[in-house]
Amino acid sequence: MSDPTGLFGLLGTQEAITPAAGTAQLVTAALVGIALIVVLIVWLKVHPFLALTLGSLAVGAVATMPLADTLESFTAGVGTTVAGVGVLIALGAMFGKILADSGGADQIVDTIVGRSSKRMLPWAMAGIGAIIGLPMFFEIGLVLLMPVIYLVAKRSGLSLIAVGLPTLAGLSAMHGFVPPHPGPLAAIDVLSADVGITLGLGILVAIPTIVVAGPLFTMAANRWVDIPADSAAFEASRDTEGRRPSFWVTLATVLLPVVLMMAKAVADLLLDEDTAPYAFMDFVGEPLVALLLAVIVAMFTLGVGSGMGRDELSSTISTSLPPIAGIILIVGAGGGFKQVLIDTGIGEVIADFVTDSGVSVVLVAWLVAVLIRLATGSATVATITAAGIMVPLTEGMAQGEVSLLVLAIGAGSVFFSHVNDAGFWLIKEYFGMSVGQTIKSWSLMETVLSVSGLVFVLLMHLVV
């Protein structure tokens, strides 16, 4: 049966998911989708979930992707994001609420505030973000630390930006530069880099990068965006001035998922995959399992330890979920939008364009990751794609140079988080900011972090 109008092609077929669109058309599709999302949210005040959904459909339409395939890409992206990040957000919210209601967060805050001057708090929070972010995924670190960020800001009288942005810089730098995060590990594998060398150099690059993008940049960002700590989302719903878990018990509970995931990373490096210890650590070190175990342990060490009964503990966990339902939907839609962009082939187009340039290898690696990051919103996708492109250029390189190439790609992968990045919406909702405020704080901080990281990689390249 013929289809002279092309209607069946528009609605979608079983054969392929990626349309045969030209380079200019794909770039236009990405720009149209992003512009539509911004217009819907900023000017028309449409809910971000709806705006991201409509933006995804617009990208598919302009890229001539069949509508059925566009919907398939979007729903697959939503499902993958919610199944991964969404579950972690829910578990993190439970952990965070127990931490707040038990008085554990207050105990940490009192210790931090008591031992740090108001001027040094941003530096202390940057250090905490880096330590927690060393083995922990960005999203998990954020949901674990958000109650602490909020309470430190409220107790100290500083804005959420002054306290939160340095913490985010620490988390994000570790996520982009240091294994066992998925992006760096993937690049290490693709480029056949040495894990130990990359880990060591990654920490050396991350420390000064965090200083620049964290406390130093925050001095400027805090003047542009002022977000007071007045949200009820992270307030304790019970009196925590009485019985509290001790500081060390609270700290050990908070660090439990960190230790479990770090143990998994060590097991990946040192243990034989066929052994029982490896199988055990591989299981308990998975982010979902590690955080689930942390929630269960927190119910006893923090909940029962602070005198909470079964009914009170159940109420605490129940009340932790409604506030983050909207966040999960928005983050999921951001993942769907990202998947549509990936399936149109825009990342491959950008990668092919940059490969033929005559710029230095390290700079090309960073630039490829930057462009794919801007187009797809995924740091991991940007890292893997850029690493794959750079493979032919690593022949004959010393291990140190290959590791610096991994770090340059990692720096590019965190450049300017915007509306196609699920993390952008996570930060926006948690901090209660508008899209414009999120861009002026979080997005610019990520850009400073990316550029600073590149600068320190290039400086290190002079001596490695």
Side-chain angles (χ1 to χ4, degrees), residues 48-60:
F49 175 78
L50 293 176
L52 286 163
T53 303
L54 293 173
S56 301
L57 296 176
V59 169

Side-chain angles (χ1 to χ4, degrees), residues 384-404:
I384 294 172
T385 305
I389 291 170
M390 302 308 294
V391 168
L393 301 177
T394 60
E395 187 175 351
M397 278 189 176
Q399 280 295 335
E401 291 179 296
V402 178
S403 293
L404 290 178

Side-chain angles (χ1 to χ4, degrees), residues 9-83:
L10 179 63
L11 292 177
T13 62
Q14 297 285 329
E15 282 76 14
I17 194 170
T18 304
T23 300
Q25 188 174 359
L26 290 176
V27 173
T28 301
L31 294 177
V32 167
I34 293 171
L36 178 60
I37 291 170
V38 173
V39 169
L40 288 174
I41 294 173
V42 176
W43 289 354
L44 300 181
K45 306 301 180 183
V46 174
H47 191 275
F49 175 78
L50 293 176
L52 286 163
T53 303
L54 293 173
S56 301
L57 296 176
V59 169
V62 176
T64 65
M65 175 183 280
L67 293 181
D69 291 345
T70 302
L71 290 173
E72 182 181 342
S73 290
F74 178 75
T75 54
V78 172
T80 301
T81 304
V82 172

Side-chain angles (χ1 to χ4, degrees), residues 165-166 168-170 172-173 177 205-222 224 366 370 373-374 407-408 410-417 438-457:
L165 216 54
L168 297 179
S172 184
F177 295 138
V205 169
I207 291 173
T209 301
I210 292 170
V211 170
V212 174
L216 296 183
F217 172 73
T218 299
M219 294 178 185
N222 195 43
W224 306 331
W366 179 82
V370 164
R373 158 71 162 183
L374 290 174
L407 298 180
S413 73
V414 298
F415 188 90
F416 195 74
S417 166
T438 309
I439 290 174
K440 288 190 291 185
S441 55
W442 161 251
S443 299
L444 287 183
M445 185 277 288
E446 286 280 85
T447 303
V448 172
L449 191 149
S450 176
V451 174
S452 299
L454 172 65
V455 170
F456 290 120
V457 169

